[in-house]
Amino acid sequence: AQSVAQPEDQVNVAEGNPLTVKCTYSVSGNPYLFWYVQYPNRGLQFLLKYITGDNLVKGSYGFEAEFNKSQTSFHLKKPSALVSDSALYFCAVRDSGAGSYQLTFGKGTKLSVIP
Amino acid sequence: ETGVTQSPTHLIKTRGQQVTLRCSSQSGHNTVSWYQQALGQGPQFIFQYYREEENGRGNFPPRFSGLQFPNYSSELNVNALELDDSALYLCASSPAPTGFGYTFGSGTRLTVV
């Protein structure tokens, strides 16, 4: 079974400050990890993914995430937050094993960037 | 390049009724996955269709069923609606049945009363 935990329901950060949105995961095999963002009344938009290789993954809109296998974490980061980053962020995992194509999402973290 | 289009955007149904939700996949994508997003929760995988056949299913009862058509568009059907079926239903198309390259639609908000 695969699962994702996003321990914070909400994260508040001042504009211009660095932001971190936390994610931990559990899979039986090797993980494929994803971050998606959801704006009100919209579907999910892909930000970045980790498949293999460099533990630091860079994605869209200046976001990056660090894969830590020993801590089973994949935290989303951005050096300088923008008000327009305010949205709902979802971490997702997929087991790399054959036939395990479905994504399992966390409950989401609401990011509020305060001007 | 068109994105993923879902219809309708909103609908209200009565408990016990049946509903059909529709999804047009992005050009070049042959796989459609459906997810249910309850209020305050993350999306949960319902099933996936690849080349007109269901090739994966999450923990949802048989009253959730689907179809995929030759043009790769898809329908999600839910019979005997329950109050807990109230949710945002998201369709995602992808170029292959791998979980990569999802393009999500904006969703259909279903309210069961």
Side-chain angles (χ1 to χ4, degrees):
Chain A
Q2 54 194 39
S3 65
V4 171
Q6 294 183 241
E8 302 154 317
D9 290 338
Q10 178 148 357
V11 170
N12 297 319
V13 63
E15 186 177 23
N17 282 2
L19 69 87
T20 299
V21 182
K22 296 179 180 178
C23 170
T24 59
Y25 67 89
S26 174
V27 293
S28 54
N30 291 317
Y32 295 153
L33 293 155
F34 306 81
W35 276 100
Y36 284 85
V37 60
Q38 186 176 37
Y39 296 97
N41 302 315
R42 301 287 296 275
L44 278 68
Q45 295 178 32
F46 171 80
L47 283 178
L48 52 80
K49 68 178 183 287
Y50 170 82
I51 305 300
T52 187
D54 194 346
N55 290 342
L56 184 63
V57 178
K58 294 188 182 296
S60 305
Y61 314 119
F63 285 93
E64 58 188 27
E66 186 166 11
F67 171 63
N68 187 316
K69 188 172 184 178
S70 63
Q71 297 186 4
T72 61
S73 67
F74 189 57
H75 300 332
L76 181 70
K77 300 181 180 184
K78 188 174 182 181
S80 179
L82 300 173
V83 173
S84 58
D85 293 330
S86 298
L88 191 54
Y89 289 81
F90 291 96
C91 180
V93 68
R94 205 209 93 176
D95 194 313
S96 62
S100 303
Y101 35 72
Q102 68 184 73
L103 298 190
T104 297
F105 287 84
K107 291 185 176 182
T109 299
K110 182 178 180 182
L111 174 67
S112 293
V113 181
I114 303 159
Chain B
E1 178 180 274
T2 59
V4 174
T5 304
Q6 292 187 243
S7 63
T9 54
H10 299 83
L11 75 165
I12 300 174
K13 289 287 189 177
T14 302
R15 189 172 46 183
Q17 285 187 316
Q18 178 266 344
V19 69
T20 298
L21 311 182
R22 294 177 174 84
C23 171
S24 295
S25 61
Q26 181 168 309
S27 176
H29 287 187
N30 59 20
T31 303
V32 172
S33 303
W34 287 91
Y35 285 81
Q36 180 197 65
Q37 185 179 9
L39 197 61
Q41 302 294 317
Q44 282 195 295
F45 178 75
I46 303 174
F47 44 53
Q48 176 177 274
Y49 277 83
Y50 171 61
R51 293 183 176 177
E52 302 179 53
E53 296 211 354
E54 182 183 301
N55 75 334
R57 189 177 186 92
N59 190 25
F60 281 81
R63 60 189 185 84
F64 285 78
S65 63
L67 285 172
Q68 188 180 31
F69 301 99
N71 66 354
Y72 304 125
S73 66
S74 178
E75 288 183 353
L76 164 64
N77 299 291
V78 187
N79 293 322
L81 283 166
E82 301 177 0
L83 297 179
D84 284 348
D85 295 334
S86 296
L88 180 67
Y89 288 84
L90 295 167
C91 168
S93 73
S94 55
T98 60
F100 299 136
Y102 275 168
T103 298
F104 279 88
S106 296
T108 294
R109 174 73 64 186
L110 172 64
T111 302
V112 182
V113 298

